[in-house]
Amino acid sequence: MKKVIIADDEKSGRKLIKEYLEDFPDLVLVAEVNNGVDAITEINRFKPDLVFLDIQMPGKTGFEVLTHLEELPKIIFSTAYDEYALKAFEVHAVDYLLKPYTKERFQVAIDKLSNDNDKLGALTNSLLMEKPSYPQRVLVEHNKKLITVKVEDIVWIEAFGDYSKLHLYKGIYLSNFGISQLEEKLNPSNFIRIHRSSIINLESVKELHKYGKSYDVTMQNGDVVRVSRGYMDALKKIMF
């Protein structure tokens, strides 16, 4: 049995999916919501195997919902807007159902589920981590879309409220994970916290300069990151 959630602001859209799901007794509906905020809450609560996700919803768009999930289920987008199809597959969606769609087209989407384990793994690893190893990529927001960046390309990480800014050579990207969450996920052999607001990639360090009783770290991209006294011992064990 697989748990299913429907997130669609249109009652008729939710009704159609529920009707089509009757032909698949192994897919059990555990919740349905009509906005993006409730979608985040219910998906994080039930940890479903599959979500039928609309894109244009009140509160949060379908793509914004994805960036707030603790675990990523398989996603089948169900929407009336064809212009988001490319973006949907950029985030490894199982399928993209364009309303109105037939029962036969719905069947095609369901058939893809059994062949989509690799896609699910790729996106989950991007958002969270690849077990038992550390993540190779991180999913971030850029220009109102989701993209993946290579962890090795991250020069340093800066706390930004409940979020984090990832500083790369090619620009700055926003992660929906806080800096402490990222610290737990990233390989400590490569990434070390040197300030409550900063994590650096040791492979991207250019120079260290003594500043009073502490140090400034100059990164390969030219950014200068301050080392706070509380993190000096950890840095010295690695760098000295």
Side-chain angles (χ1 to χ4, degrees):
M1 306 292 284
K2 296 183 182 300
K3 295 181 290 185
V4 178
I5 286 179
I6 300 171
D8 192 323
D9 64 334
E10 295 182 352
K11 185 176 181 179
S12 59
R14 300 194 303 273
K15 181 179 179 181
L16 183 66
I17 294 173
K18 287 190 290 184
E19 178 183 327
Y20 289 166
L21 281 175
E22 292 177 358
D23 291 339
F24 303 93
D26 58 324
L27 299 178
V28 180
L29 182 65
V30 295
E32 59 176 287
V33 297
N34 61 6
N35 65 83
V37 175
D38 288 344
I40 294 168
T41 299
E42 294 303 283
I43 294 171
N44 285 336
R45 173 189 175 194
F46 284 103
K47 303 293 190 297
D49 302 285
L50 171 64
V51 174
F52 289 93
L53 187 62
D54 194 5
I55 293 178
Q56 294 288 3
M57 294 186 293
K60 298 283 185 183
T61 69
F63 294 113
E64 290 172 332
V65 167
L66 294 181
T67 66
H68 291 275
L69 300 183
E70 297 169 358
E71 297 178 11
L72 199 78
K74 294 185 178 182
I75 300 294
I76 294 179
F77 283 103
S78 174
T79 178
Y81 301 92
D82 60 358
E83 64 263 36
Y84 298 106
L86 178 60
K87 186 185 295 187
F89 290 107
E90 286 179 354
V91 297
H92 305 280
V94 174
D95 206 348
Y96 190 92
L97 295 174
L98 187 61
K99 301 174 182 177
Y101 46 85
T102 65
K103 180 178 290 189
E104 289 73 23
R105 179 64 184 86
F106 187 85
Q107 173 74 63
V108 171
I110 299 301
D111 289 343
K112 290 182 179 181
L113 288 172
S114 60
N115 299 319
D116 201 64
N117 288 331
D118 291 340
K119 284 185 177 181
L120 176 62
L123 183 51
T124 302
N125 293 337
S126 297
L127 287 168
L128 302 173
M129 71 179 191
E130 297 172 319
K131 294 183 179 180
S133 62
Y134 294 98
Q136 302 298 313
R137 291 178 177 271
V138 178
L139 194 66
V140 297
E141 291 185 16
H142 183 63
N143 292 334
K144 297 183 179 180
K145 69 177 182 179
L146 300 172
I147 65 170
T148 59
V149 298
K150 293 181 179 179
V151 168
E152 64 187 36
D153 291 337
I154 300 173
V155 177
W156 68 287
I157 301 169
E158 178 184 9
F160 187 65
D162 293 331
Y163 304 90
S164 299
K165 290 182 179 179
L166 307 186
H167 293 257
L168 282 66
Y169 293 102
K170 60 182 179 180
I172 300 174
Y173 300 86
L174 184 66
S175 168
N176 285 282
F177 288 106
I179 194 168
S180 294
Q181 291 175 290
L182 290 176
E183 182 183 18
E184 293 177 358
K185 305 300 182 185
L186 296 174
N187 189 340
S189 297
N190 300 105
F191 291 88
I192 180 172
R193 194 161 185 172
I194 61 171
H195 191 281
R196 63 184 180 85
S197 300
S198 309
I199 294 173
I200 60 171
N201 183 349
L202 294 172
E203 298 295 325
S204 299
V205 172
K206 182 180 180 181
E207 299 171 342
L208 275 76
H209 296 277
K210 192 169 180 61
Y211 182 86
K213 295 183 179 181
S214 189
Y215 289 84
D216 283 343
V217 181
T218 301
M219 308 304 293
Q220 294 287 350
N221 68 342
D223 290 345
V224 178
V225 187
R226 176 67 49 84
V227 183
S228 68
R229 294 181 184 179
Y231 291 92
M232 272 303 304
D233 289 342
L235 181 63
K236 286 180 178 179
K237 288 179 182 179
I238 296 176
M239 299 294 294
F240 297 93

